[in-house]
Coordinates of all heavy atoms in Angstrom, one line a residue:
M19 N 114.9 93.3 115.6 CA 113.6 93.9 115.9 C 113.0 93.2 117.2 O 113.2 92.0 117.3 CB 112.6 93.8 114.8 CG 113.0 94.5 113.5 SD 111.7 94.4 112.2 CE 110.6 95.7 112.8
T20 N 112.4 94.0 117.9 CA 111.7 93.4 119.1 C 110.4 92.7 118.7 O 109.9 93.0 117.6 CB 111.4 94.6 120.1 OG1 110.4 95.4 119.5 CG2 112.6 95.4 120.5
P21 N 110.0 91.8 119.5 CA 108.7 91.1 119.2 C 107.5 92.1 119.1 O 106.7 91.9 118.2 CB 108.5 90.2 120.4 CG 109.8 89.9 120.9 CD 110.6 91.2 120.7
Q22 N 107.6 93.2 119.9 CA 106.5 94.2 119.8 C 106.5 94.9 118.4 O 105.5 95.2 117.8 CB 106.6 95.2 120.9 CG 106.4 94.7 122.3 CD 107.6 93.9 122.9 OE1 108.7 94.0 122.3 NE2 107.4 93.3 124.0
S23 N 107.7 95.2 117.9 CA 107.8 95.9 116.6 C 107.3 95.0 115.5 O 106.6 95.4 114.6 CB 109.3 96.2 116.3 OG 109.8 97.2 117.3
V24 N 107.7 93.7 115.6 CA 107.2 92.7 114.5 C 105.7 92.6 114.6 O 105.0 92.6 113.6 CB 107.9 91.4 114.7 CG1 107.3 90.3 113.8 CG2 109.4 91.5 114.5
S25 N 105.2 92.5 115.8 CA 103.8 92.4 116.0 C 103.0 93.6 115.4 O 102.0 93.5 114.7 CB 103.4 92.2 117.5 OG 102.0 92.2 117.7
T26 N 103.6 94.8 115.7 CA 103.0 96.0 115.1 C 103.0 96.0 113.6 O 102.0 96.4 113.0 CB 103.7 97.3 115.7 OG1 103.7 97.3 117.1 CG2 103.1 98.5 115.1
L27 N 104.1 95.6 113.0 CA 104.2 95.6 111.6 C 103.2 94.6 111.0 O 102.6 94.8 109.9 CB 105.6 95.4 111.1 CG 106.6 96.5 111.4 CD1 108.0 96.0 111.1 CD2 106.2 97.7 110.6
V28 N 103.1 93.4 111.6 CA 102.3 92.4 111.0 C 100.8 92.7 111.2 O 100.0 92.4 110.3 CB 102.6 91.0 111.8 CG1 101.6 90.0 111.4 CG2 104.0 90.6 111.4
R29 N 100.4 93.3 112.2 CA 99.0 93.6 112.5 C 98.5 94.9 111.7 O 97.3 95.0 111.5 CB 98.7 93.8 114.0 CG 98.9 92.6 114.8 CD 98.6 92.9 116.2 NE 99.1 91.8 117.0 CZ 99.0 91.7 118.3 NH1 98.3 92.7 118.9 NH2 99.5 90.8 119.0
A30 N 99.4 95.8 111.4 CA 98.9 97.1 110.8 C 98.2 96.9 109.5 O 97.1 97.4 109.4 CB 100.1 98.0 110.7
P31 N 98.7 96.3 108.5 CA 98.0 96.2 107.2 C 96.6 95.6 107.3 O 95.6 96.1 106.8 CB 98.9 95.4 106.3 CG 100.3 95.7 106.9 CD 100.1 95.7 108.4
P32 N 96.4 94.4 108.0 CA 95.1 93.8 108.0 C 94.1 94.7 108.8 O 92.9 94.7 108.5 CB 95.3 92.5 108.7 CG 96.7 92.2 108.6 CD 97.4 93.5 108.5
A33 N 94.6 95.5 109.7 CA 93.7 96.3 110.5 C 93.4 97.7 109.8 O 92.8 98.5 110.4 CB 94.3 96.5 111.9
G34 N 94.0 97.9 108.7 CA 93.9 99.1 108.0 C 94.6 100.3 108.6 O 94.3 101.4 108.4
Q35 N 95.7 99.9 109.3 CA 96.5 101.0 110.0 C 97.9 101.1 109.4 O 98.8 101.5 110.0 CB 96.6 100.6 111.4 CG 95.3 100.5 112.2 CD 95.5 99.9 113.6 OE1 96.6 99.4 113.9 NE2 94.5 100.0 114.4
A36 N 98.0 100.7 108.1 CA 99.4 100.8 107.5 C 99.8 102.3 107.5 O 99.0 103.2 107.2 CB 99.4 100.2 106.1
R37 N 101.1 102.5 107.8 CA 101.6 103.9 107.8 C 101.8 104.4 106.4 O 102.2 103.7 105.5 CB 103.0 103.9 108.4 CG 103.0 104.1 109.9 CD 104.3 104.5 110.4 NE 105.1 103.2 110.4 CZ 106.4 103.2 110.5 NH1 107.1 104.3 110.7 NH2 107.1 102.1 110.5
A38 N 101.4 105.6 106.2 CA 101.7 106.3 104.9 C 103.2 106.5 104.7 O 103.8 106.9 105.6 CB 100.9 107.6 104.8
R39 N 103.6 106.2 103.5 CA 105.1 106.4 103.3 C 105.3 107.6 102.4 O 104.5 107.9 101.6 CB 105.6 105.2 102.5 CG 105.5 103.9 103.4 CD 106.2 102.8 102.7 NE 105.9 101.5 103.4 CZ 106.7 101.1 104.4 NH1 107.8 101.7 104.7 NH2 106.4 99.9 105.0
K40 N 106.3 108.3 102.7 CA 106.6 109.5 102.0 C 107.2 109.1 100.6 O 107.9 108.2 100.4 CB 107.7 110.3 102.7 CG 107.3 110.9 104.0 CD 108.4 111.7 104.6 CE 108.0 112.3 105.9 NZ 109.1 113.0 106.6
A41 N 106.8 109.9 99.6 CA 107.3 109.7 98.2 C 108.8 110.1 98.2 O 109.1 111.1 98.8 CB 106.5 110.4 97.2
L42 N 109.6 109.4 97.5 CA 111.0 109.7 97.4 C 111.1 110.9 96.4 O 110.5 110.9 95.4 CB 111.8 108.5 96.9 CG 111.9 107.3 97.8 CD1 112.6 106.2 97.2 CD2 112.5 107.7 99.1
A43 N 112.0 111.8 96.8 CA 112.3 112.9 95.9 C 113.0 112.4 94.6 O 113.9 111.6 94.7 CB 113.1 113.9 96.6
V44 N 112.6 112.9 93.5 CA 113.2 112.6 92.2 C 114.2 113.6 91.8 O 113.8 114.8 91.8 CB 112.1 112.4 91.1 CG1 112.8 112.1 89.8 CG2 111.1 111.3 91.5
R45 N 115.4 113.2 91.6 CA 116.4 114.2 91.3 C 116.2 114.6 89.8 O 116.0 113.8 88.9 CB 117.8 113.6 91.4 CG 118.2 113.3 92.8 CD 119.5 112.7 92.9 NE 119.8 112.2 94.3 CZ 120.8 111.4 94.6 NH1 121.6 111.0 93.7 NH2 120.9 111.0 95.8
P46 N 116.3 115.9 89.5 CA 116.2 116.3 88.1 C 117.4 115.8 87.3 O 118.6 115.8 87.9 CB 116.2 117.8 88.2 CG 116.7 118.2 89.6 CD 116.5 117.0 90.4
Q47 N 117.2 115.4 86.1 CA 118.3 114.9 85.3 C 118.9 116.1 84.5 O 118.2 116.9 83.9 CB 117.8 113.9 84.3 CG 117.3 112.6 85.0 CD 116.8 111.6 84.0 OE1 116.8 111.9 82.8 NE2 116.4 110.5 84.5
T48 N 120.2 116.2 84.7 CA 120.9 117.3 84.0 C 121.8 116.7 83.0 O 122.6 115.8 83.4 CB 121.6 118.2 84.9 OG1 122.5 117.5 85.7 CG2 120.6 119.0 85.9
G49 N 121.8 117.2 81.8 CA 122.8 116.7 80.8 C 122.6 115.2 80.5 O 123.5 114.6 80.0
A50 N 121.4 114.7 80.6 CA 121.2 113.3 80.4 C 121.1 113.1 78.8 O 120.6 113.9 78.1 CB 119.8 112.8 81.0
D51 N 121.7 112.0 78.4 CA 121.7 111.6 77.0 C 120.3 111.2 76.6 O 119.7 110.4 77.3 CB 122.7 110.5 76.7 CG 124.1 111.0 76.9 OD1 124.4 112.2 76.8 OD2 125.0 110.1 77.2
V52 N 119.8 111.7 75.5 CA 118.5 111.3 75.1 C 118.7 110.1 74.2 O 119.5 110.1 73.2 CB 117.8 112.4 74.3 CG1 116.5 112.0 73.7 CG2 117.6 113.6 75.2
R53 N 118.0 109.0 74.5 CA 118.2 107.8 73.7 C 117.0 107.7 72.7 O 115.9 107.8 73.1 CB 118.2 106.6 74.6 CG 118.3 105.3 73.9 CD 118.5 104.1 74.9 NE 118.7 102.9 74.1 CZ 118.0 101.8 74.3 NH1 117.2 101.7 75.4 NH2 118.2 100.7 73.6
V54 N 117.4 107.4 71.5 CA 116.4 107.3 70.4 C 116.2 105.8 70.1 O 117.2 105.2 69.8 CB 116.8 108.1 69.2 CG1 115.8 107.9 68.1 CG2 117.0 109.6 69.5
E55 N 115.0 105.3 70.2 CA 114.8 103.9 69.9 C 114.9 103.7 68.4 O 114.4 104.5 67.6 CB 113.4 103.5 70.4 CG 113.2 103.5 71.9 CD 114.0 102.4 72.6 OE1 114.2 101.3 72.0 OE2 114.5 102.6 73.7
P56 N 115.6 102.6 68.0 CA 115.6 102.3 66.6 C 114.3 101.9 66.1 O 113.5 101.3 66.8 CB 116.6 101.2 66.5 CG 116.6 100.5 67.9 CD 116.3 101.6 68.8
E57 N 114.0 102.1 64.8 CA 112.8 101.7 64.2 C 112.8 100.1 64.1 O 113.8 99.5 63.8 CB 112.6 102.3 62.8 CG 112.3 103.7 62.9 CD 111.8 104.2 61.5 OE1 111.2 103.5 60.7 OE2 112.1 105.4 61.3
V58 N 111.7 99.5 64.4 CA 111.5 98.1 64.4 C 110.6 97.7 63.2 O 109.5 98.2 63.1 CB 110.9 97.6 65.7 CG1 110.8 96.1 65.6 CG2 111.8 98.0 66.9
D59 N 111.1 96.8 62.4 CA 110.3 96.4 61.3 C 109.7 95.1 61.7 O 110.3 94.0 61.8 CB 111.2 96.2 60.0 CG 110.4 95.8 58.8 OD1 109.3 96.1 58.7 OD2 111.0 95.1 57.9
L60 N 108.4 95.1 61.9 CA 107.6 93.9 62.3 C 107.3 93.1 61.0 O 106.8 93.6 60.0 CB 106.3 94.3 63.0 CG 106.5 95.2 64.2 CD1 105.1 95.5 64.8 CD2 107.3 94.5 65.3
G61 N 107.6 91.8 61.2 CA 107.3 90.9 60.1 C 105.8 90.7 59.8 O 105.0 91.1 60.7
P62 N 105.4 90.2 58.7 CA 104.0 90.0 58.4 C 103.3 89.1 59.3 O 102.0 89.2 59.5 CB 104.0 89.5 56.9 CG 105.4 89.0 56.7 CD 106.3 89.7 57.6
S63 N 104.0 88.2 59.9 CA 103.3 87.2 60.8 C 103.4 87.6 62.3 O 103.0 86.8 63.2 CB 103.8 85.8 60.6 OG 105.2 85.8 61.0
Y64 N 103.9 88.8 62.6 CA 104.1 89.2 64.0 C 102.8 89.1 64.8 O 102.8 88.5 65.9 CB 104.6 90.7 64.0 CG 104.8 91.3 65.3 CD1 105.8 90.9 66.1 CD2 103.8 92.2 65.8 CE1 106.0 91.5 67.4 CE2 103.9 92.7 67.1 CZ 105.0 92.4 67.9 OH 105.1 92.9 69.1
Y65 N 101.8 89.7 64.4 CA 100.5 89.7 65.2 C 99.9 88.3 65.3 O 99.4 87.9 66.3 CB 99.5 90.7 64.6 CG 100.0 92.1 64.7 CD1 100.5 92.8 63.7 CD2 100.0 92.7 66.0 CE1 101.0 94.1 63.8 CE2 100.4 94.0 66.2 CZ 100.9 94.7 65.1 OH 101.4 96.0 65.2
E66 N 100.0 87.6 64.2 CA 99.4 86.2 64.2 C 100.2 85.3 65.2 O 99.6 84.6 66.0 CB 99.5 85.6 62.8 CG 98.9 84.2 62.7 CD 99.0 83.6 61.3 OE1 99.2 84.4 60.4 OE2 99.0 82.4 61.2
R67 N 101.5 85.4 65.3 CA 102.3 84.7 66.2 C 101.9 85.1 67.7 O 101.8 84.2 68.6 CB 103.8 84.9 66.0 CG 104.4 84.2 64.8 CD 105.9 84.3 64.9 NE 106.3 85.6 65.4 CZ 107.1 86.4 64.7 NH1 107.6 86.1 63.6 NH2 107.4 87.6 65.3
G68 N 101.7 86.4 67.9 CA 101.3 86.8 69.2 C 100.0 86.3 69.7 O 99.8 85.9 70.8
T69 N 99.0 86.3 68.7 CA 97.7 85.8 69.0 C 97.7 84.3 69.3 O 97.1 83.8 70.3 CB 96.8 86.0 67.8 OG1 96.8 87.4 67.6 CG2 95.3 85.6 68.1
V70 N 98.5 83.5 68.5 CA 98.6 82.1 68.8 C 99.3 81.9 70.1 O 98.8 81.0 70.9 CB 99.4 81.4 67.6 CG1 99.8 80.0 68.0 CG2 98.7 81.5 66.3
A71 N 100.3 82.6 70.5 CA 101.0 82.4 71.8 C 100.0 82.7 72.9 O 100.0 82.0 73.9 CB 102.2 83.3 71.8
R72 N 99.2 83.8 72.8 CA 98.3 84.1 73.9 C 97.2 83.0 74.1 O 96.9 82.7 75.2 CB 97.6 85.5 73.6 CG 98.6 86.6 73.8 CD 97.9 88.0 73.5 NE 98.8 89.1 73.6 CZ 99.7 89.4 72.6 NH1 99.9 88.7 71.6 NH2 100.5 90.4 72.8
R73 N 96.7 82.5 73.0 CA 95.7 81.4 73.1 C 96.4 80.2 73.8 O 95.8 79.6 74.6 CB 95.2 81.1 71.7 CG 94.2 82.1 71.2 CD 93.6 81.6 69.9 NE 92.7 82.7 69.4 CZ 92.7 83.1 68.2 NH1 93.5 82.5 67.3 NH2 91.9 84.0 67.8
R74 N 97.6 79.8 73.3 CA 98.3 78.7 73.9 C 98.5 78.9 75.4 O 98.2 78.0 76.2 CB 99.6 78.5 73.2 CG 100.4 77.3 73.7 CD 101.8 77.3 73.2 NE 102.5 78.5 73.8 CZ 103.2 79.3 73.0 NH1 103.3 79.2 71.7 NH2 103.8 80.4 73.6
D75 N 99.0 80.0 75.8 CA 99.3 80.3 77.2 C 98.1 80.4 78.0 O 98.1 80.0 79.2 CB 100.1 81.6 77.3 CG 101.5 81.5 76.7 OD1 102.0 80.3 76.4 OD2 102.1 82.5 76.4
H76 N 97.0 80.9 77.4 CA 95.7 80.9 78.2 C 95.3 79.5 78.6 O 94.9 79.3 79.7 CB 94.7 81.6 77.3 CG 93.3 81.7 78.0 ND1 93.1 82.6 79.0 CD2 92.2 81.0 77.8 CE1 91.8 82.4 79.4 NE2 91.3 81.5 78.7
K77 N 95.4 78.6 77.7 CA 95.0 77.2 78.0 C 96.0 76.6 79.0 O 95.6 75.9 79.9 CB 95.1 76.4 76.7 CG 94.0 76.7 75.7 CD 94.1 75.9 74.4 CE 93.1 76.3 73.4 NZ 93.3 75.6 72.1
D78 N 97.3 76.9 78.8 CA 98.3 76.3 79.7 C 98.2 76.9 81.2 O 98.4 76.2 82.1 CB 99.7 76.5 79.2 CG 100.0 75.7 77.9 OD1 99.2 74.8 77.6 OD2 101.0 76.1 77.3
L79 N 97.8 78.1 81.3 CA 97.8 78.8 82.6 C 96.4 78.7 83.3 O 96.3 79.2 84.4 CB 98.3 80.2 82.4 CG 99.7 80.4 81.9 CD1 100.0 81.9 81.7 CD2 100.7 79.8 82.8
K80 N 95.5 78.2 82.6 CA 94.1 78.2 83.1 C 94.0 77.5 84.5 O 93.3 77.9 85.4 CB 93.2 77.4 82.1 CG 91.7 77.7 82.3 CD 90.9 77.1 81.2 CE 89.5 77.5 81.3 NZ 88.7 77.0 80.2
G81 N 94.8 76.5 84.8 CA 94.8 75.7 86.0 C 95.5 76.4 87.2 O 95.4 75.9 88.3
L82 N 96.1 77.5 86.9 CA 96.8 78.2 88.0 C 95.9 78.8 89.1 O 96.3 79.1 90.2 CB 97.7 79.3 87.5 CG 99.0 78.7 86.8 CD1 99.9 79.9 86.3 CD2 99.8 77.9 87.8
T83 N 94.7 79.1 88.8 CA 93.8 79.7 89.7 C 93.7 78.9 91.0 O 93.8 79.4 92.1 CB 92.4 79.9 89.1 OG1 92.5 80.7 87.9 CG2 91.4 80.6 90.1
G84 N 93.5 77.6 90.8 CA 93.4 76.7 92.0 C 94.7 76.7 92.8 O 94.7 76.7 94.0
A85 N 95.9 76.7 92.1 CA 97.1 76.7 92.8 C 97.3 78.0 93.6 O 97.7 78.0 94.8 CB 98.3 76.6 91.8
F86 N 96.9 79.1 93.0 CA 97.0 80.4 93.8 C 96.0 80.4 94.9 O 96.3 81.0 96.0 CB 96.7 81.6 92.8 CG 97.9 81.9 91.9 CD1 97.7 82.0 90.6 CD2 99.2 82.1 92.5 CE1 98.8 82.3 89.7 CE2 100.3 82.4 91.6 CZ 100.1 82.5 90.3
D87 N 94.9 79.9 94.8 CA 93.9 79.8 95.9 C 94.5 79.0 97.1 O 94.3 79.3 98.2 CB 92.6 79.2 95.4 CG 91.8 80.1 94.6 OD1 92.1 81.3 94.6 OD2 90.9 79.6 93.9
E88 N 95.2 77.9 96.7 CA 95.8 77.0 97.8 C 96.9 77.8 98.5 O 97.0 77.7 99.7 CB 96.3 75.7 97.1 CG 96.9 74.8 98.2 CD 97.4 73.5 97.5 OE1 97.0 73.2 96.4 OE2 98.3 72.9 98.2
I89 N 97.7 78.5 97.7 CA 98.8 79.3 98.3 C 98.2 80.4 99.2 O 98.7 80.6 100.3 CB 99.7 79.9 97.2 CG1 100.5 78.8 96.4 CG2 100.6 81.0 97.7 CD1 101.1 79.3 95.2
D90 N 97.2 81.0 98.8 CA 96.5 82.0 99.6 C 96.0 81.4 100.9 O 96.2 82.0 102.0 CB 95.4 82.7 98.8 CG 94.8 83.9 99.5 OD1 95.5 84.7 100.1 OD2 93.5 83.9 99.6
A91 N 95.4 80.3 100.8 CA 94.9 79.6 102.0 C 96.0 79.3 103.0 O 95.9 79.5 104.2 CB 94.1 78.4 101.7
R92 N 97.1 78.7 102.5 CA 98.2 78.4 103.3 C 98.9 79.6 103.9 O 99.2 79.6 105.1 CB 99.3 77.7 102.5 CG 98.9 76.3 102.1 CD 100.1 75.6 101.3 NE 99.7 74.3 100.9 CZ 100.6 73.5 100.2 NH1 101.8 73.9 99.9 NH2 100.2 72.3 99.9
A93 N 99.0 80.7 103.1 CA 99.5 81.9 103.7 C 98.6 82.5 104.8 O 99.1 83.0 105.8 CB 99.7 83.0 102.6
G94 N 97.3 82.4 104.6 CA 96.4 82.9 105.6 C 96.6 82.1 106.9 O 96.6 82.6 108.0
A95 N 96.7 80.8 106.8 CA 96.9 79.9 108.0 C 98.2 80.2 108.7 O 98.2 80.3 109.9 CB 96.8 78.4 107.6
L96 N 99.3 80.4 107.9 CA 100.6 80.8 108.5 C 100.5 82.2 109.2 O 101.0 82.3 110.3 CB 101.7 80.8 107.5 CG 102.1 79.5 107.0 CD1 103.1 79.6 105.8 CD2 102.8 78.7 108.1
F97 N 99.8 83.1 108.6 CA 99.6 84.4 109.2 C 98.9 84.3 110.5 O 99.3 84.9 111.5 CB 98.9 85.3 108.2 CG 98.7 86.7 108.8 CD1 99.7 87.6 108.8 CD2 97.4 87.1 109.2 CE1 99.5 88.9 109.3 CE2 97.2 88.4 109.7 CZ 98.3 89.3 109.7
D98 N 97.8 83.5 110.6 CA 97.1 83.3 111.8 C 97.9 82.7 112.9 O 97.9 83.1 114.1 CB 95.8 82.5 111.6 CG 94.8 83.2 110.7 OD1 94.9 84.4 110.6 OD2 93.9 82.5 110.1
E99 N 98.7 81.7 112.5 CA 99.7 81.1 113.5 C 100.7 82.1 114.0 O 101.0 82.1 115.2 CB 100.4 79.9 112.8 CG 99.5 78.7 112.6 CD 100.3 77.5 112.1 OE1 101.5 77.3 112.5 OE2 99.8 76.8 111.2
L100 N 101.2 82.9 113.1 CA 102.2 83.9 113.5 C 101.6 84.9 114.5 O 102.2 85.3 115.5 CB 102.7 84.7 112.3 CG 103.7 85.8 112.6 CD1 104.9 85.3 113.2 CD2 104.0 86.5 111.3
L101 N 100.3 85.3 114.2 CA 99.7 86.2 115.2 C 99.5 85.6 116.5 O 99.7 86.2 117.6 CB 98.3 86.6 114.6 CG 98.3 87.7 113.5 CD1 96.9 88.0 113.0 CD2 99.0 88.9 113.9
M102 N 99.1 84.3 116.6 CA 99.0 83.6 117.9 C 100.3 83.5 118.6 O 100.4 83.7 119.8 CB 98.4 82.2 117.6 CG 97.0 82.2 117.2 SD 96.2 80.6 116.9 CE 97.3 79.4 117.4
V103 N 101.4 83.3 117.9 CA 102.7 83.2 118.5 C 103.1 84.6 119.1 O 103.6 84.7 120.2 CB 103.8 82.7 117.5 CG1 105.2 82.9 118.0 CG2 103.6 81.3 117.1
L104 N 102.9 85.6 118.3 CA 103.3 87.0 118.7 C 102.4 87.4 119.9 O 102.9 88.1 120.8 CB 103.1 88.0 117.5 CG 104.1 87.8 116.4 CD1 103.8 88.7 115.3 CD2 105.6 88.0 116.9
E105 N 101.1 87.1 119.9 CA 100.3 87.4 121.0 C 100.7 86.7 122.3 O 100.5 87.2 123.4 CB 98.8 87.1 120.7 CG 98.3 88.1 119.7 CD 96.9 87.7 119.2 OE1 96.3 86.7 119.6 OE2 96.3 88.5 118.4
G106 N 101.3 85.5 122.1 CA 101.7 84.8 123.3 C 103.0 85.2 123.9 O 103.5 84.8 124.9
M107 N 103.7 86.2 123.2 CA 105.0 86.7 123.7 C 104.8 87.7 124.8 O 104.0 88.5 125.0 CB 105.8 87.3 122.6 CG 106.2 86.3 121.5 SD 107.2 87.1 120.3 CE 108.5 85.9 120.1

């Protein structure tokens, strides 16, 4: 790709100029086998185990917000540097 093409692609989404993409045509299925899901017998502690797991994971993942904020800040800084490089070409 040329530097101009890269620059155009990088600048378009932040400027609100992203190109609309065409939806892909979906081919009709002919003669497709219909799959029947087997019945699942949930144990008596199924919901309790799920609730316990969600509570545990909520506590474990609580600190990720700061990590994602840091990643976002770094990505923003890299994006700004990339724009400066592309503008200098």
Side-chain angles (χ1 to χ4, degrees):
M19 294 182 85
T20 65
Q22 291 82 7
S23 297
V24 173
S25 177
T26 301
L27 290 173
V28 170
R29 290 181 199 183
Q35 300 171 350
R37 268 194 289 168
R39 300 187 185 268
K40 293 181 182 178
L42 296 175
V44 178
R45 295 182 189 163
Q47 296 181 356
T48 56
D51 294 332
V52 176
R53 182 172 179 227
V54 177
E55 294 290 330
E57 286 191 31
V58 177
D59 184 27
L60 302 177
S63 63
Y64 173 78
Y65 292 105
E66 183 180 338
R67 284 190 324 235
T69 303
V70 169
R72 284 177 186 79
R73 285 187 183 132
R74 180 196 64 232
D75 294 344
H76 179 73
K77 290 177 185 174
D78 291 345
L79 300 175
K80 198 174 190 178
L82 284 181
T83 303
F86 284 127
D87 289 343
E88 183 179 338
I89 291 169
D90 185 47
R92 288 182 182 181
L96 287 172
F97 181 76
D98 292 342
E99 286 182 40
L100 176 62
L101 284 179
M102 287 180 10
V103 169
L104 291 174
E105 288 173 357
M107 296 181 132

